[in-house]
Amino acid sequence: MLVNYQKTWERFSEGSSYLDQLYRYLNQQYIKKQRLSEADVQYGFALETNEQLMDIGELALDIWRKQMIKPLQQQLLHLTFKEIRRDRNGESTNHHILHSVVNSFVEVEKYKKKQQLKLYQEIFEEKFLEETGQYYKQEAAKLLQEYNCSQYMEKVLARLGEETIRSRKFLHPSSYPTVTNEFQQRMVADHMKFLHSECRDKVREESTEDLARMYELLRPVTNGLGIMVQELELHIKETGLAAISNLKRENIPAQFVESIQAVHKRFLEMIKNTLGNDQVFTKALDKACTAIVNHRHSPQEICRSPELLAKYADTLLKKSSRGLNESDIEDKLTQCIIVFRYIDDKDIFQKFYARMLAKRLIHGLSMSMDLEEGMINRLKQACGYEFTNKLHRMFTDMTVSEDLNTKFTDYCKQKSTDLGINFSIYVLTAGAWPLGQTLLSNFAIPQELEKSVNSFEQFYGGNFNGRKLTWLHHLCSGELKVNCLKKPYIVTMTTYQMTTLLMFNTYTSLQFQELLTNTQMAEKELTKTLQSLVEVKLLKQEPEGQITEKTVFVLNLEYSNKRTKFKISTAMQKETTQEIELTHRSVDDDRKLYLQAAIVRIMKARKALKHNILIQEVISQSRTRFTPTNSMIKKSIEALIDKQYIDRSSNADTYVYQA
């Protein structure tokens, strides 16, 4: 029957087309003028809509619809669906005949200006979707009984590909998405629980083929990816926490940062290559990495991530970076920013980084100033100019100091002042450098340095009236030539070490108390200095052990070293526990001031604000630096009420700005 229908239809449609062309003059000159307009039909000027005239071609197709399609509708659909089912089962069918039959339902209404697909949708598409749904419902049940999850997904995707090709062969393009949707509903959406139950195992196994199939199947289904996203986020978090929990004592900062980078890289590649680079999975990766980086065993515990990242960056930027060229270091610093973006307490990182940068700049430990500036620019891109403002000022101070040294040299020549030594200084802005005044101690400048210090103070006072210089002797260093040994040595050391050794110009042995009186250093500082000189064997301690007032230190005249020029390393250049505690305390103080400033800014702009809205505004403004707790914000509000910047209104829940 389908063959006869198809042959008859093709002959009829071809004939109707010829007739329409033959009577084109009639269509244009008579029928077009007699035909009622859409407005006439709509507003009832026609007594009977049946009187509406048609073009010859349209009339022929309307006759086919009434005389052929309507009477044979049930038989045509039954036979068409039967043939399509045979095709789905892998049996041979005549694709051309099926396409022609289905296309006839569309072609008979091609002259209509509106709803050209109404007949096709009503008599064919609706019933075809029912038939398709029923077929794939049975197919899904059969496949689930015979195969496991991986095989099921593979079969479903194969079936989906076949059905897509079949739609293109037989159906009108408007049916493509509806048929695919029906397939997905029956084969995927109806069995979501089964697929979701397998999700955890597939994610933990990191089976890329299965995950790719699962993603392709679940993505078009409403709420299909939710469980998969959750499972991936949980797996990344567990993997990351496991990676950073087994760190060995040596080089913990590098292990910590590189472990997180490895986890991030591994799962980012999985998302790109397996999960279509979908943003929902990228967000899950970001959330998981944030949880890893900011993990604390207890709420009271301080998160060490900012400190460890700053130390890792410090090791990369120091001259001691072994076996790495500038290009390698650039890549590693770029990777550092990935970890930095996940840190909540960015202000803690800033404090540690600034302290370490200060030491690198002062002691000349930076591998390259270009690398230093590159890292600061990366931080600036991540957090804005305000975050790196002080770091930029530190670089400016170094440049200004070079210029000052040149001017001071010219000043000494004009005054005919011979300092007797090579003398250079760094003049640093107190507000920009995280050096603080807490480590300052009394100190008697050695006679050899007095002239240089006094001359510079006179020069600086003459050029910058009103500025005060505070000498940070604990950060100074110099080169001392030792001539009293078997051969001369040039030793780079701190000012404290130099002052202590210069005492032995006059005496070969001195008691601890005598050194304490002459240098005027703090007892703790002098003890550290003497221990460092005893360790390198320039001095001998008698008796050995704990240093007391009567401990005697003797210049070691038998000292020898293969190198004639060397440096005495000191613990002062390393981060001590005390400095770490001071850094955290400094961050807490800065946070209080930052929150108070944010509250004043908000209240000045808004004049009056409810408590909850104010807290949300403050959290929003602070998020780029740190995440404040509600109790921190409340304490800041109370402090500002005491300072009379803001006040509570008659409505206890609202604050008012005091101009």
Side-chain angles (χ1 to χ4, degrees):
M1 180 181 170
L2 287 179
V3 174
N4 291 331
Y5 176 87
Q6 181 260 339
K7 284 181 180 177
T8 310
W9 158 249
E10 286 191 350
R11 195 161 55 246
F12 183 87
S13 63
E14 189 177 2
S16 65
S17 176
Y18 290 151
L19 277 173
D20 190 62
Q21 291 174 31
L22 183 64
Y23 291 100
R24 184 175 293 170
Y25 182 82
L26 179 67
N27 289 339
Q28 291 177 348
Q29 298 300 320
Y30 177 72
I31 295 173
K32 190 176 181 181
K33 290 176 182 177
Q34 296 298 318
R35 178 180 283 177
L36 297 170
S37 67
E38 287 184 25
D40 292 337
V41 174
Q42 188 173 350
Y43 294 108
F45 288 104
L47 296 175
E48 293 182 21
T49 54
N50 291 336
E51 293 177 6
Q52 180 74 310
L53 297 178
M54 297 181 188
D55 289 348
I56 299 300
E58 185 180 356
L59 179 63
L61 293 176
D62 190 58
I63 291 168
W64 181 270
R65 179 176 65 82
K66 289 175 181 175
Q67 301 299 324
M68 293 293 287
I69 292 177
K70 289 287 184 183
L72 299 174
Q73 179 181 331
Q74 296 302 323
Q75 291 168 282
L76 286 172
L77 291 181
H78 173 72
L79 292 170
T80 303
F81 293 161
K82 184 179 177 182
E83 287 300 305
I84 291 173
R85 183 178 281 266
R86 288 182 67 225
D87 188 69
R88 283 171 175 159
N89 291 332
E91 298 174 38
S92 63
T93 54
N94 192 322
H95 295 167
H96 175 67
I97 290 172
L98 284 172
H99 174 73
S100 184
V101 171
V102 173
N103 194 48
S104 71
F105 303 145
V106 179
E107 288 291 314
V108 292
E109 299 210 328
K110 70 178 180 181
Y111 286 97
K112 281 191 174 183
K113 290 182 179 179
K114 292 182 178 179
Q115 298 181 322
Q116 288 183 341
L117 298 175
K118 187 178 178 183
L119 178 71
Y120 167 79
Q121 289 168 345
E122 285 179 354
I123 71 166
F124 178 78
E125 188 181 70
E126 289 177 9
K127 293 179 176 60
F128 178 72
L129 289 176
E130 287 177 21
E131 167 71 17
T132 300
Q134 192 63 35
Y135 177 84
Y136 283 113
K137 191 175 182 180
Q138 294 170 0
E139 181 72 6
K142 180 184 170 187
L143 292 175
L144 285 168
Q145 285 181 344
E146 294 177 4
Y147 301 107
N148 60 29
C149 182
S150 299
Q151 294 166 326
Y152 177 77
M153 291 190 294
E154 191 178 349
K155 294 287 182 186
V156 170
L157 284 170
R159 279 296 208 176
L160 177 60
E162 291 168 9
E163 194 63 34
T164 302
I165 293 168
R166 192 173 295 112
S167 297
R168 266 81 181 150
K169 285 179 183 175
F170 304 147
L171 309 181
H172 187 268
S174 66
S175 298
Y176 298 167
T178 53
V179 172
T180 302
N181 182 60
E182 183 65 26
F183 176 92
Q184 288 163 343
Q185 287 296 316
R186 301 289 81 84
M187 297 291 275
V188 182
D190 288 354
H191 305 285
M192 285 252 276
K193 282 186 180 178
F194 166 69
L195 292 170
H196 284 161
S197 67
E198 296 287 328
C199 222
R200 172 170 289 203
D201 292 338
K202 299 300 176 191
V203 168
R204 271 154 182 67
E205 290 166 12
E206 294 181 28
S207 173
T208 52
E209 288 184 1
D210 285 341
L211 287 173
R213 291 185 191 119
M214 191 172 279
Y215 169 72
E216 196 174 340
L217 290 175
L218 294 176
R219 181 171 55 86
V221 180
T222 308
N223 301 324
L225 291 174
I227 299 294
M228 197 175 178
V229 171
Q230 288 173 23
E231 291 296 342
L232 182 66
E233 184 183 332
L234 183 63
H235 178 57
I236 296 170
K237 185 179 173 182
E238 288 174 356
T239 305
L241 291 175
I244 63 172
S245 63
N246 299 320
L247 302 180
K248 296 172 184 175
R249 292 196 174 182
E250 291 180 10
N251 203 7
I252 286 178
Q255 291 180 56
F256 173 80
V257 176
E258 286 169 8
S259 295
I260 291 172
Q261 288 171 351
V263 169
H264 182 272
K265 183 181 178 183
R266 171 176 146 196
F267 287 103
L268 185 63
E269 284 179 0
M270 179 197 281
I271 291 166
K272 282 181 179 177
N273 301 330
T274 306
L275 303 172
N277 204 16
D278 199 313
Q279 286 300 304
V280 292
F281 292 106
T282 307
K283 286 177 183 175
L285 174 63
D286 290 341
K287 284 170 77 174
C289 287
T290 301
I292 297 163
V293 171
N294 299 292
H295 177 70
R296 302 174 190 188
H297 294 291
S298 66
Q300 292 76 29
E301 186 181 346
I302 294 171
C303 180
R304 290 196 64 207
S305 301
E307 179 191 342
L308 293 173
L309 182 61
K311 285 181 176 177
Y312 178 67
D314 184 53
T315 56
L316 291 175
L317 291 164
K318 274 184 179 174
K319 285 179 181 175
S320 58
S321 293
R322 298 184 194 92
L324 294 174
N325 56 36
E326 283 200 22
S327 176
D328 294 334
I329 295 171
E330 282 273 9
D331 293 340
K332 285 182 177 289
L333 290 173
T334 303
Q335 293 297 311
C336 279
I337 297 298
I338 293 172
V339 180
F340 170 74
R341 289 180 189 276
Y342 294 126
I343 290 175
D344 284 341
D345 299 324
K346 291 182 173 64
D347 54 342
I348 295 178
F349 170 85
Q350 183 197 37
K351 280 286 178 188
F352 278 104
Y353 187 84
R355 279 186 181 279
M356 292 167 190
L357 173 63
K359 288 182 179 180
R360 290 197 300 274
L361 293 177
I362 289 168
H363 299 299
L365 300 173
S366 288
M367 183 174 182
S368 159
M369 296 306 279
D370 290 339
L371 287 174
E372 294 281 7
E373 287 191 34
M375 183 62 180
I376 291 172
N377 287 332
R378 290 186 188 93
L379 293 172
K380 182 179 173 182
Q381 285 175 356
C383 286
Y385 176 73
E386 187 186 346
F387 188 83
T388 56
N389 184 22
K390 289 184 178 180
L391 303 179
H392 282 297
R393 282 168 64 191
M394 288 162 73
F395 274 94
T396 305
D397 283 349
M398 298 303 285
T399 309
V400 170
S401 293
E402 286 178 19
D403 188 42
L404 271 176
N405 279 313
T406 307
K407 288 179 179 177
F408 178 58
T409 305
D410 295 340
Y411 169 83
C412 290
K413 285 177 183 175
Q414 287 173 8
K415 296 282 183 179
S416 301
T417 305
D418 183 16
L419 300 178
I421 58 169
N422 289 330
F423 182 77
S424 65
I425 49 82
Y426 294 128
V427 178
L428 313 176
T429 310
W433 291 72
L435 304 172
Q437 309 291 317
T438 51
L439 297 172
L440 294 179
S441 60
N442 293 326
F443 174 63
I445 298 170
Q447 193 176 348
E448 290 83 354
L449 293 175
E450 265 188 36
K451 189 177 181 182
S452 302
V453 169
N454 292 334
S455 296
F456 185 79
E457 284 182 341
Q458 287 171 11
F459 158 75
Y460 194 79
N463 283 278
F464 303 97
N465 190 24
R467 289 193 188 176
K468 183 188 173 186
L469 286 175
T470 303
W471 292 91
L472 304 175
H473 296 296
H474 63 287
L475 295 172
C476 299
S477 63
E479 286 186 352
L480 185 68
K481 191 169 184 182
V482 184
N483 294 315
C484 58
L485 304 176
K486 292 177 182 178
K487 58 181 177 181
Y489 294 98
I490 295 173
V491 189
T492 304
M493 59 183 71
T494 67
T495 308
Y496 288 161
Q497 290 168 335
M498 186 187 297
T499 303
T500 306
L501 275 182
L502 285 171
M503 296 294 297
F504 291 90
N505 261 340
T506 314
Y507 309 98
T508 54
S509 66
L510 285 163
Q511 280 190 351
F512 179 78
Q513 187 59 47
E514 290 174 314
L515 288 165
L516 197 63
T517 306
N518 287 313
T519 60
Q520 294 181 22
M521 287 164 63
E523 189 175 327
K524 190 177 177 182
E525 205 65 61
L526 181 59
T527 303
K528 269 191 200 173
T529 304
L530 288 166
Q531 283 173 341
S532 65
L533 293 170
V534 169
E535 277 177 19
V536 296
K537 299 180 181 177
L538 279 170
L539 294 180
K540 291 179 183 177
Q541 180 183 332
E542 298 174 0
E544 293 181 0
Q546 192 172 352
I547 296 173
T548 63
E549 288 182 3
K550 295 190 178 180
T551 302
V552 177
F553 293 91
V554 182
L555 187 65
N556 182 13
L557 297 171
E558 301 298 317
Y559 178 83
S560 67
N561 194 326
K562 288 179 183 178
R563 286 189 257 177
T564 55
K565 192 172 183 179
F566 60 91
K567 182 179 181 179
I568 301 175
S569 61
T570 170
M572 291 178 206
Q573 289 177 14
K574 294 176 184 174
E575 200 86 24
T576 62
T577 309
Q578 183 191 2
E579 281 183 312
I580 292 170
E581 288 174 5
L582 279 171
T583 303
H584 282 292
R585 241 178 282 150
S586 171
V587 168
D588 289 339
D589 293 339
D590 287 352
R591 284 182 175 182
K592 288 172 189 174
L593 294 173
Y594 183 88
L595 289 175
Q596 289 179 24
I599 292 166
V600 169
R601 271 198 311 273
I602 293 163
M603 292 304 299
K604 190 174 182 179
R606 306 286 284 274
K607 304 303 180 191
L609 213 56
K610 287 192 172 182
H611 175 79
N612 288 338
I613 298 173
L614 177 59
I615 286 194
Q616 289 304 316
E617 289 269 0
V618 173
I619 290 172
S620 176
Q621 286 198 16
S622 309
R623 194 171 285 128
T624 54
R625 293 177 68 87
F626 66 100
T627 306
T629 61
N630 284 359
S631 62
M632 286 168 67
I633 299 171
K634 285 176 184 175
K635 284 177 184 176
S636 298
I637 291 170
E638 293 299 330
L640 289 172
I641 290 171
D642 292 341
K643 293 176 184 176
Q644 297 183 348
Y645 279 96
I646 60 175
D647 197 6
R648 287 189 177 88
S649 69
S650 53
N651 179 359
D653 192 35
T654 305
Y655 300 106
V656 180
Y657 178 69
Q658 298 291 308

